[in-house]
Amino acid sequence: MASRSGRPLTSASRGHAQDGGGGSVASRGSRVMAAPEEPCGCAERGREAAGLSRARRDPAAAAMSLCAEDLVSGENEEESNGINLMEFSDEILLHILSYVPCTDLVLNVRKTCRKLATLCLDKSLTHTVLLQKDYKVNKDKVKQLMRDIGKEIYQLNMAGCYWLPSSTTDHVTRCKNLVKLNLSGCRITSLRLSKMLSTLQHLRSLAIDVNPGFDASQLSSECKATLSRVSELKQTLYTPSYGVVPCCTSLEKLLLYFEILDRSREGFMLSGQLMVGESNVPHYQNLRVFYARLAPGYVNQEVVRLYLAVLSDRTPENLHAFLISAPGSFAETGATKNLLDSMARNVRLDALQLPKAWLNGSGLLQHLKFNNPFYFSFSRCTLSGGHLIQRVINGGKDLKSLTSLNLSGCVHCLAPESLFRRAEDDIDSSILESLVVSCCNLRHLNLSAAHHHSSESIGNHLCQLLSRLKHLLSLALPVCSITDVAVSMEKPPTQPNAVPQTFGKRTRVGVQTYPRNVADQECQKLESSVFWTLMRSLRFLETLEIIGSSFSSAMPRNEPAIRNSLPPCVRAQSVGDSEVAAISQLTYLQSLTLAQLPNIVTGSGLVSIGLQCQHLRTLSLANLGMMGKMVYMSALMDMLKHCKCLRDLRLEQPYFSAGSQFFQALSHCSSLQRLCIVSRSGTLQSDAVMSFMANCLEVIMCHMFMGESLTVCRNLQQSLVRSSELKP
């Protein structure tokens, strides 16, 4: 779809957008859970103080009103009993101003009075300039900003500023002292990059995109001299190329993102072969961190192998982090095997992530040496619990340095052996207990996409063991892992296609009642359940994912779309509203994903989350309740009225009706920026969408895949474009 002027959302303006018949446009990166962002100013915890709450709720308005309050006479101040913010110390004022975008500080707030004119140019405010997601900035503002404080800027982030013309980057040349520059998502030619980098002699960190037509031979000697001093490079490839890697002879950290399509826009097949003479050019002798993330496609795999070929010849002695994220099947070759063998002999790693085909059936983990590991990812690997204990955490020895562990899709990781084990068999609690004891400082743990069923042994439930990890900030679990064993055994499983007794003739679907306040919900809490105990123990958790082990999104990022997903796990049938209500204990929750919870009846737990989790910024709900019935709409609308800091909302639910009542409730989310709705056989009201976009000025992305006709969607998109053109 499209948005208002200055914030285009059409397929031409979004980097990966593509037209979807029967629905409006959506970005290529649509996922169940959006990526977290920087903390919401109105919801930051731990530093609340009297007199600062208003400044945090609206920092820009507070900053602009400082001098106005300073001009108020003493008599008027006594009458209003207000606080004169200008009497605060410089330290407090600088803290308030730090929440204001740098463009507003320099171009607006600085002009209000002498005191603010000085404070707005303080080095703590001008040292780092973030233009990322500052959708109100334009080319002229960037030009004026660079002219006023260019020499004071040491870090500049313009990532994702797709709405700015490429000529905007010409003004970066004024930042002579720039040390870190991020231009990811900005289209920039080889000649323009050469001219810009030639003037940035102090640059040490660079992030750019390499698009079709990029020619490294056009880079000047001064540009190459700057690149030779760069120690950190992030490069996103949209065409087969080494980019600027051969020029970066002092690289210590290399981050590569492969987004190359298998076919050109004209439909021709692309080749992953690089130009003759470019092989063996990258310089990795000082490399410490190598990271590569591949989008689906064989061309991406061919190109990354060329990057790895140089590593296989001579593995850097200082390499301590080696991570490759590849979807689907990425076969191991002779060169990659030589590389891994060389790593096993010559380096000690602190972080490791490999494609599943490189680990499955190999004894690599037994030979790799680790120093003080902080990150392990074995996603989708056939790693048994016995191998996990023996080869990864050294038989249960101390691994306090490990802070992040990804075991997503490792269906046998909590079982001693995987040869004769069925996926739905109970886990071995002793393996999980050894993991918890050894890795007691874990901050991020992912156990999703697998059946982790606890046994009936008292005190050995998965939730009870995980409650010991007091430092967890993010957690991902399958739905079947949080159910109480006794409850799931007593309750007969619901047939996937059967309608539960709740929806008999005596009950009107869509008008179910649920508790309207926390006091009523307190009476229904099952505080003795293991999941309630887990949520009570992890009070500082910021990110939570509860996803059905057989769930498959209708619009996945790195996997083929499956129209008919598998039915929920039998044990997941008992997880419903009370478990969702337990999540409301997470006071500092910022991101929540719930998918494939079949026993949601009214959605009452969502209301409790909206009331208690005031820091929530990202919410993703998918396939809740019985398929074919949107039973929790009323509760969802009540929840949205309390989500003042919500920025990202993604809903994936068949037969979803996006009508006027829904968009009126959504209008209460004053901080909302991105909305995505995926609904097979869903409906929408165009007038309601137009009214919502007109009232919610912060919304910059609206993706709706509904059951409406292509004509309805095109007319709505054209109406949004016209309305944006009429606005000043």
Side-chain angles (χ1 to χ4, degrees), residues 372-391:
N372 293 306
F374 61 87
Y375 178 88
F376 282 147
S377 178
F378 305 109
S379 178
R380 307 286 179 179
C381 294
T382 56
L383 181 70
S384 70
H387 291 165
L388 177 67
I389 297 298
Q390 297 172 11
R391 300 178 182 179

Side-chain angles (χ1 to χ4, degrees), residues 14-16 158-162 169 181-193 196-197 206-215 219 233-239 241-244 255-260 293 307:
R14 306 299 295 185
H16 305 300
M158 297 179 62
C161 293
Y162 57 87
T169 57
L181 175 63
N182 191 338
L183 296 176
S184 298
C186 300
R187 298 190 64 87
I188 184 169
T189 63
S190 308
L191 291 175
R192 182 160 273 133
L193 179 66
M196 177 180 59
L197 295 184
L206 176 65
I208 60 170
D209 292 350
V210 177
N211 294 288
F214 181 88
D215 187 0
L219 302 179
L233 175 65
K234 176 187 175 183
Q235 188 170 262
T236 304
L237 297 167
Y238 295 98
T239 186
S241 172
Y242 277 125
V244 299
L255 311 177
L256 298 171
Y257 296 79
F258 296 87
E259 297 285 346
I260 310 169
R293 192 193 71 183
Y307 277 83

Side-chain angles (χ1 to χ4, degrees), residues 47-54 56 83 85 88 92:
R47 292 185 291 182
E48 292 296 329
L52 295 182
S53 59
R54 183 178 66 127
R56 285 207 175 107
I83 299 177
L85 296 181
F88 286 174
I92 294 179

Side-chain angles (χ1 to χ4, degrees), residues 18 113 169 237 261-262 379 384 414-415 445 460 490 577 583 679:
Q18 51 188 349
C113 68
T169 57
L237 297 167
L261 300 177
D262 290 343
S379 178
S384 70
L414 299 181
L445 178 61
N460 292 326
E490 293 174 3
D577 295 323
I583 300 174
S679 179

Side-chain angles (χ1 to χ4, degrees), residues 49 55 60 86 138 168 194 241 400 441 459 472 497 537 550 567 580 596 598 603 608 630 709 718:
M86 291 303 293
N138 54 36
T168 307
S194 177
S241 172
K400 294 182 179 179
N441 291 324
L472 276 181
N497 298 323
S537 302
S550 57
V580 174
Q596 203 179 41
S608 182
M630 181 65 183
S709 65
Q718 292 173 1

Side-chain angles (χ1 to χ4, degrees), residues 279-293:
S279 59
N280 299 326
V281 173
H283 302 271
Y284 295 144
Q285 59 268 24
N286 299 318
L287 201 62
R288 295 176 55 82
V289 177
F290 181 90
Y291 173 81
R293 192 193 71 183

